[in-house]
C-alpha cells in the first residue's frame, strides 16, 4: 500500500514533478481532488489493516471460532473482488459485463448464508417440556370449567364420564387419582 501511495503522491502532488511532466500539468483540479481523496482512503485502509497484517494467519485462526473464520475469509475475498471491480472501472472496462460481477454476487450469497446461520444460532430455543406443561395445565383448567358448567346444568361431559379408556402410563393413573392441576402436583412432590 505504501508503494502505491508514494507513487500517487510523487506523481500527482509533487510540484517539481508536475512542472517537469507535461501530462500532469493538464490534469483538471477536480481530478486532483479525487486523487487526493483516493490517497486519503488508501491511508485509512492501511491503518485499518495494520493489526491484521502484523499477525500471522495461523495465529489469527487459532483465536477464531469457525463462524468468525468464515466471516474473515468472506470479507477478504469480497474486498479483493471489489478492488478488482474498481481496477476494471479505472481501466475503462465495464465490470458488469465481466465475470467479477457473478463472483461478487456469489460471495454476497455466501455472506447471507453465514448471517442466517449466525441468526439461527442466536434464536431463542423452545423448551418443549415447559410448553407441554403449559398446554396440559390449560387443558385441565378448561376441562374443569366445562365440568363445573355441566354440573350446574345437570349434564355429564366426556371429561367427567367414567367410561373413558383406561390409561397405561403411570403419570396418567396418578392424574386420575388426584383432582389438582398438573402444575400443583409437581410442586407438592
Amino acid at each position: 500500500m505504501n508503494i502505491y501511495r508514494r507513487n500517487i503522491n510523487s506523481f500527482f502532488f509533487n510540484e517539481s514533478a508536475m512542472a517537469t511532466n507535461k501530462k500532469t500539468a493538464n490534469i483538471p483540479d477536480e481530478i486532483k481532488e479525487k486523487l487526493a481523496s483516493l490517497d486519503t482512503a488508501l491511508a485509512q485502509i492501511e491503518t485499518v489493516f495494520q493489526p491484521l497484517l502484523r499477525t500471522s494467519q495461523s495465529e489469527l485462526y487459532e483465536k477464531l471460532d469457525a463462524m468468525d473464520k468464515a466471516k474473515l475469509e468472506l470479507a477478504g475475498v469480497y474486498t479483493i473482488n471489489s478492488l478488482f471491480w474498481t481496477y476494471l472501472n479505472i481501466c475503462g472496462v465495464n465490470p458488469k459485463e465481466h465475470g467479477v460481477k457473478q463472483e461478487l454476487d456469489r460471495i454476497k450469497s455466501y455472506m447471507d448464508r453465514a448471517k442466517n446461520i449466525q441468526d439461527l444460532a442466536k434464536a431463542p430455543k423452545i423448551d418443549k417440556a415447559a410448553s407441554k406443561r403449559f398446554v396440559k395445565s390449560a387443558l385441565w383448567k378448561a376441562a374443569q370449567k366445562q365440568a363445573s358448567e355441566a354440573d350446574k346444568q345437570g349434564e355429564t361431559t366426556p371429561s367427567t364420564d367414567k367410561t373413558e379408556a383406561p390409561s397405561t402410563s403411570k403419570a396418567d393413573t396418578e392424574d386420575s387419582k388426584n383432582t389438582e392441576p398438573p402444575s400443583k402436583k409437581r410442586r407438592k412432590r
Side-chain angles (χ1 to χ4, degrees):
M1 289 258 187
N2 283 334
I3 296 170
Y4 298 118
R5 289 188 61 228
R6 276 186 261 147
N7 288 339
I8 289 172
N9 285 333
S10 66
F11 188 74
F12 290 107
F13 301 111
N14 189 350
E15 294 299 324
S16 63
M18 287 184 138
T20 57
N21 194 347
K22 293 184 180 183
K23 290 181 181 178
T24 59
N26 296 330
I27 294 176
D29 289 337
E30 72 178 39
I31 292 178
K32 288 180 184 178
E33 291 172 5
K34 289 183 180 184
L35 289 172
S37 67
L38 174 66
D39 183 54
T40 305
L42 287 174
Q44 290 174 349
I45 289 172
E46 187 176 355
T47 57
V48 168
F49 279 111
Q50 278 305 319
L52 186 63
L53 296 174
R54 281 189 214 135
T55 59
S56 69
Q57 192 173 13
S58 61
E59 290 175 12
L60 185 64
Y61 275 119
E62 288 175 3
K63 298 175 185 175
L64 300 176
D65 64 346
M67 180 55 74
D68 288 336
K69 287 177 187 177
K71 287 169 37 178
L72 178 67
E73 290 292 329
L74 287 170
V77 171
Y78 189 80
T79 303
I80 291 169
N81 281 292
S82 296
L83 289 172
F84 187 66
W85 174 283
T86 305
Y87 173 76
L88 289 175
N89 268 332
I90 290 171
C91 291
V93 177
N94 185 3
K96 292 179 182 176
E97 296 173 357
H98 195 273
V100 73
K101 170 84 169 109
Q102 290 81 20
E103 185 67 16
L104 284 170
D105 291 340
R106 185 178 70 87
I107 296 167
K108 284 180 187 177
S109 70
Y110 287 140
M111 288 176 150
D112 289 339
R113 285 175 58 188
K115 185 179 183 296
N116 288 340
I117 291 170
Q118 190 173 18
D119 290 345
L120 284 175
K122 290 180 181 178
K125 305 292 186 234
I126 297 174
D127 186 4
K128 292 180 182 179
S131 62
K132 285 181 182 180
R133 287 192 305 266
F134 287 136
V135 170
K136 193 172 185 180
S137 177
L139 290 175
W140 184 86
K141 288 177 184 176
Q144 290 298 322
K145 183 178 178 183
Q146 187 179 17
S148 65
E149 288 176 3
D151 287 342
K152 288 179 186 176
Q153 295 176 357
E155 300 174 5
T156 61
T157 61
S159 62
T160 60
D161 192 7
K162 301 295 182 189
T163 60
E164 291 182 17
S167 175
T168 57
S169 73
K170 183 178 179 181
D172 288 343
T173 56
E174 289 176 7
D175 287 344
S176 64
K177 293 177 186 175
N178 199 343
T179 59
E180 294 180 11
S183 60
K184 290 184 180 179
K185 286 191 299 185
R186 285 190 182 86
R187 288 184 196 140
K188 287 185 176 182
R189 287 184 189 166

